[in-house]
Amino acid sequence: MNIKTISESQEIIQDNLDYTIFSWSKQKGIAPIAVKYAEGIYLYDYDGKRYIDFSSGLMNVNIGHGNQRVTEAVVKQMQEVSYVSPSCVTKVRGELGKKLAEICPGDLKKAFFTLCGASSVDNGIKLARLYTGRHKILTRYQSYHGASIGSVSAGGDPRKIPVDAQQAPNFVHFDLPYLYRWEYGEENLLKEAVASLERVIAYEGPGNIAAILLEGESGSSGCLKYPVGYLKKVREICNKHGILLIMDEVMSGFGRTGKWFGFEHHDILPDMIVMAKGLTAGYLPFGCLMVSDKIIAKYDDAMLPLGLTYSAHPVTCAAALEVLKIYEDNNLIENAAAMGKYLDTQIEKLKQKHPSIGDWRNTGLLGCIELVKNKTAKEPMAPFNAKPNEMAVMNKVAAKIKELGMYTFVRWSYLFIAPPLCVTKEQIDEGLAIISEAISIADKETEHG
Ligand SMILES: Cc1ncc(COP(=O)(O)O)c(C=O)c1O
């Protein structure tokens, strides 16, 4: 008798492949990691293989995996009450609002709780239009703001191109080049970036523009840093024209960049902050739109036309409140800043060793290596919005990373490094050793290979 046994892990993967749908991916011929459990900065599969998580899941598990304080807070809340309608209140909702008001600067004191990043962006856009009575939203081409119809239209990321025909109206994008691929000097970059934004505003009619929406620090577009002084100029331009400034801190918030929020590196104050990911460190899906007192005051005596069945869900509020305490109790934000500096010095050494490392852009622990075929000509290892056949080398690099026991995010010629904020120097060394070995594959494709 020929009995074919399949391992537990194969069975789990097969069920997932047969009965579930994978986002941003082809559906067949993929080999996902079946995660059994996770602890700190490591994932473990059913065969006992360990993976160092160098992208904190999707840059959200900032406190690290498996923190039982969050589990206990969630269980305790569920034992008391799991759901109340958003018109009722709970202790935890008020406490979380108060804590966020403490963390956020200026008059950003009122929290509208949502479900995820996209629903926070959507509500921010709605509120900006309601408040200003204007309809247009300006965003950077090189940005991602979510996948709902509203937020996907807001982002300029090419993930929107296949659904182009479904775009919502009244989003206008502008280009903001980055230093590594700008030939005319840093000072000139700032000048041109500001001038081109001003031109777009003039063409579109400043009186029609409700808000400029920008990531606090660029994330999945490749950590493309703002020119120094740029966000201050944007704030001035917004003030001049009565345009609101919304900072999307979904990826860059909650210590990821070594400060609570990415925009705090730029000495500005937005009118609204969009939050998700690190708010609960991914332990439960949640989001928040933090709104300035000035904006929300408009609704002191008028109905606010925003709502969600699961707004201020007590269980997600409990997870978030505990996660915020963990950031503070474990000094995670200070650690992110310190480990970010260490990472910078170590990558500098790798740059000397690897002809394929073109650029390294990082703030705290939100970093990205850009791989090139030639350091002088800067030809990317894979082009912007690379087609599958243009990803041959990068796919080999990604496969090697996985084989060597690392999980991280590889996109086009970008290799992201964004470990949980509890990472240690030793763990950074461990991860970089894997990356160094994997990148050797790309080195062979360079002129020195
Ligand atoms: C900057 C930014 N905004 C918004 C989102 C969308 O968040 P979500 O996937 O929770 O809707 C993301 C997701 O990666 C993001 O990086």
Side-chain angles (χ1 to χ4, degrees):
M1 202 167 44
N2 187 9
I3 301 173
K4 206 169 150 199
T5 56
I6 62 167
S7 73
E8 188 182 14
S9 138
Q10 282 170 316
E11 194 179 342
I12 288 164
I13 292 173
Q14 205 53 51
D15 280 350
N16 278 275
L17 290 172
D18 289 348
Y19 301 109
T20 74
I21 294 172
F22 289 79
S23 40
W24 311 118
S25 170
K26 63 177 185 172
Q27 301 299 305
K28 292 239 189 283
I30 51 177
I33 302 170
V35 180
K36 186 171 186 192
Y37 66 99
E39 242 171 47
I41 72 157
Y42 298 101
L43 308 171
Y44 297 85
D45 74 10
Y46 283 79
D47 302 318
K49 180 166 173 177
R50 190 177 86 160
Y51 295 85
I52 186 165
D53 181 357
F54 245 39
S55 61
S56 310
L58 279 178
M59 287 83 158
N60 56 343
V61 189
N62 293 2
I63 64 166
H65 297 275
N67 192 313
Q68 293 308 305
R69 281 180 57 179
V70 188
T71 314
E72 281 157 24
V74 163
V75 169
K76 185 165 170 284
Q77 184 58 48
M78 288 189 103
Q79 284 164 342
E80 286 169 9
V81 59
S82 289
Y83 179 78
V84 299
S85 131
S87 61
C88 296
V89 298
T90 53
K91 183 165 182 264
V92 70
R93 165 178 165 172
E95 283 178 353
L96 178 60
K98 196 170 172 183
K99 186 76 199 159
L100 286 168
E102 224 177 273
I103 289 168
C104 293
D107 66 342
L108 290 150
K109 298 293 170 218
K110 283 283 186 89
F112 180 67
F113 294 115
T114 62
L115 313 177
C116 58
S119 61
S120 309
V121 168
D122 284 346
N123 282 289
I125 290 166
K126 272 193 192 168
L127 186 53
R129 287 174 171 159
L130 286 164
Y131 179 77
T132 59
R134 303 171 178 185
H135 54 284
K136 287 184 187 171
I137 306 289
L138 262 56
T139 78
R140 182 181 187 183
Y141 270 113
Q142 305 92 329
S143 70
Y144 178 73
H145 294 290
S148 65
I149 298 271
S151 60
V152 85
S153 309
D157 188 282
R159 271 172 275 188
K160 76 196 276 176
I161 289 175
V163 293
D164 197 48
Q166 302 183 43
Q167 282 199 59
N170 297 317
F171 291 95
V172 176
H173 299 100
F174 58 88
D175 185 35
L176 175 48
Y178 64 108
L179 194 54
Y180 179 63
R181 295 194 175 280
W182 174 259
E183 294 166 33
Y184 315 105
E186 196 168 355
E187 202 183 317
N188 214 292
L189 175 58
L190 175 65
K191 263 196 209 155
E192 176 50 26
V194 172
S196 73
L197 176 61
E198 281 177 323
R199 285 196 297 273
V200 171
I201 290 173
Y203 296 143
E204 295 294 336
N208 289 337
I209 301 168
I212 298 180
L213 166 67
L214 289 168
E215 292 178 47
E217 283 290 342
S218 155
S220 56
S221 298
C223 305
L224 312 178
K225 290 196 180 207
Y226 295 111
V228 177
Y230 178 75
L231 288 184
K232 271 196 126 158
K233 291 281 181 200
V234 174
R235 179 72 269 184
E236 283 168 29
I237 293 169
C238 285
N239 291 349
K240 183 168 143 200
H241 298 297
I243 297 169
L244 299 179
L245 179 58
I246 309 175
M247 297 310 293
D248 179 342
E249 294 284 350
V250 169
M251 190 175 280
S252 54
F254 299 100
R256 173 57 52 201
T257 68
K259 291 187 187 278
W260 276 111
F261 300 106
F263 70 77
E264 292 178 293
H265 292 276
H266 302 274
D267 194 23
I268 55 148
L269 193 60
D271 299 293
M272 293 188 229
I273 309 176
V274 171
M275 309 170 174
K277 293 191 191 268
L279 175 59
T280 49
Y283 280 61
L284 286 173
F286 198 36
C288 174
L289 177 70
M290 208 66 194
V291 181
S292 74
D293 288 338
K294 180 187 75 184
I295 293 175
I296 207 64
K298 182 167 179 171
Y299 298 94
D300 281 351
D301 298 305
M303 189 267 285
L304 176 74
L306 303 177
L308 297 155
T309 299
Y310 297 111
S311 177
H313 194 287
V315 181
T316 51
C317 283
L321 189 60
E322 197 59 29
V323 165
L324 296 185
K325 288 182 193 155
I326 291 169
Y327 285 121
E328 289 181 332
D329 292 348
N330 298 355
N331 297 318
L332 292 182
I333 300 180
E334 294 80 351
N335 192 57
M339 290 305 108
K341 286 199 184 106
Y342 180 69
L343 190 53
D344 289 344
T345 57
Q346 298 310 100
I347 299 270
E348 214 34 63
K349 291 181 199 161
L350 286 189
K351 249 181 156 178
Q352 309 308 320
K353 185 171 155 201
H354 292 283
S356 64
I357 300 184
D359 197 22
W360 163 245
R361 300 177 287 273
N362 181 44
T363 315
L365 291 172
L366 184 55
C368 170
I369 293 175
E370 180 165 344
L371 295 178
V372 292
K373 292 183 182 162
N374 177 316
K375 282 200 195 203
T376 335
K378 301 184 181 175
E379 188 190 344
M381 197 56 73
F384 171 79
N385 202 19
K387 297 185 187 74
N389 64 340
E390 293 169 320
M391 284 296 291
V393 179
M394 291 306 291
N395 283 345
K396 279 189 212 157
V397 171
K400 192 70 182 173
I401 282 175
K402 185 177 167 200
E403 182 198 315
L404 294 172
M406 170 176 283
Y407 174 80
T408 198
F409 185 46
V410 176
R411 189 180 197 213
W412 315 328
S413 56
Y414 303 151
L415 201 165
F416 289 82
I417 301 184
L421 314 187
C422 55
V423 72
T424 63
K425 279 187 180 175
E426 294 69 31
Q427 290 167 335
I428 287 177
D429 291 343
E430 180 191 332
L432 290 186
I434 292 176
I435 286 175
S436 180
E437 190 174 338
I439 284 180
S440 305
I441 294 171
D443 288 343
K444 294 197 188 90
E445 304 297 320
T446 66
E447 57 190 349
H448 305 286

